[in-house]
Coordinates of all heavy atoms in Angstrom, one line a residue:
I1342 N 12.0 27.1 1.9 CA 11.5 25.9 1.3 C 12.3 24.7 1.8 O 13.5 24.8 1.9 CB 11.6 25.9 -0.3 CG1 11.0 24.7 -0.8 CG2 13.0 26.2 -0.8 CD1 10.7 24.8 -2.3
I1354 N 16.5 29.5 2.6 CA 15.8 30.7 3.0 C 16.2 31.8 2.1 O 17.4 32.1 1.9 CB 16.0 31.1 4.5 CG1 15.6 29.9 5.4 CG2 15.1 32.3 4.8 CD1 15.9 30.2 6.9
K1438 N 2.0 22.7 8.5 CA 2.0 22.9 7.0 C 1.9 21.6 6.3 O 2.6 20.6 6.7 CB 3.3 23.7 6.6 CG 3.5 24.0 5.1 CD 2.6 25.1 4.7 CE 2.9 26.4 5.3 NZ 2.2 27.5 4.8
L1491 N 12.4 8.4 -13.8 CA 12.9 7.0 -13.9 C 13.5 6.6 -12.5 O 14.1 7.4 -11.8 CB 14.0 6.9 -14.9 CG 13.5 7.4 -16.4 CD1 14.7 7.3 -17.3 CD2 12.5 6.5 -16.9
E1529 N 21.1 20.1 -28.1 CA 22.3 21.0 -28.2 C 22.9 21.0 -26.8 O 24.1 21.0 -26.6 CB 21.9 22.4 -28.6 CG 23.0 23.4 -28.6 CD 23.9 23.3 -29.8 OE1 23.6 22.5 -30.7 OE2 24.9 24.0 -29.9
T1537 N 25.0 15.1 -6.6 CA 26.1 14.2 -7.1 C 26.7 14.7 -8.3 O 27.9 14.7 -8.5 CB 25.6 12.8 -7.2 OG1 24.9 12.4 -6.0 CG2 26.7 11.8 -7.5
L1544 N 34.7 18.6 -9.1 CA 35.9 17.8 -9.2 C 36.6 18.1 -10.6 O 37.8 18.4 -10.6 CB 35.7 16.3 -9.1 CG 36.9 15.4 -9.2 CD1 37.8 15.6 -8.0 CD2 36.4 13.9 -9.2
E1571 N 34.5 8.5 -17.9 CA 35.0 7.2 -18.1 C 36.0 6.8 -17.0 O 35.9 5.6 -16.5 CB 35.7 7.1 -19.5 CG 36.0 5.7 -19.9 CD 36.6 5.6 -21.3 OE1 36.4 6.5 -22.1 OE2 37.2 4.5 -21.6
L1654 N 21.8 53.1 -2.3 CA 20.4 53.3 -1.9 C 19.6 54.2 -2.8 O 18.4 54.1 -2.7 CB 20.4 53.8 -0.4 CG 21.2 52.9 0.6 CD1 21.1 53.4 2.0 CD2 20.6 51.4 0.6
K1666 N 25.1 54.6 -21.8 CA 24.4 53.7 -22.8 C 24.5 54.1 -24.2 O 24.8 53.3 -25.1 CB 23.0 53.5 -22.4 CG 22.2 52.6 -23.3 CD 20.7 52.5 -22.8 CE 19.9 51.6 -23.8 NZ 19.7 52.2 -25.1
Q1704 N 37.1 40.5 -7.8 CA 36.8 39.2 -7.2 C 35.4 39.1 -6.7 O 34.7 38.1 -6.9 CB 37.7 38.9 -6.0 CG 39.1 38.5 -6.4 CD 39.2 37.3 -7.3 OE1 38.4 36.4 -7.1 NE2 40.2 37.2 -8.2
K1717 N 31.8 33.3 -18.8 CA 32.4 34.3 -19.7 C 31.8 35.7 -19.3 O 32.6 36.7 -19.3 CB 32.2 34.0 -21.2 CG 32.7 35.1 -22.1 CD 32.4 34.8 -23.6 CE 33.4 33.9 -24.2 NZ 33.3 33.8 -25.6
I1722 N 32.1 41.3 -17.0 CA 31.7 42.3 -16.1 C 32.7 42.6 -15.1 O 33.0 43.8 -14.7 CB 30.4 41.9 -15.4 CG1 29.3 41.6 -16.4 CG2 29.9 43.0 -14.4 CD1 28.0 41.0 -15.8
A1808 N 41.0 59.5 -22.2 CA 41.3 58.1 -22.1 C 40.1 57.3 -22.6 O 40.3 56.3 -23.4 CB 41.5 57.8 -20.6

Side-chain angles (χ1 to χ4, degrees):
I1342 184 165
I1354 304 176
K1438 181 74 64 174
L1491 303 174
E1529 179 78 8
T1537 308
L1544 183 61
E1571 189 177 341
L1654 302 181
K1666 180 180 177 292
Q1704 287 299 329
K1717 177 183 276 193
I1722 300 170

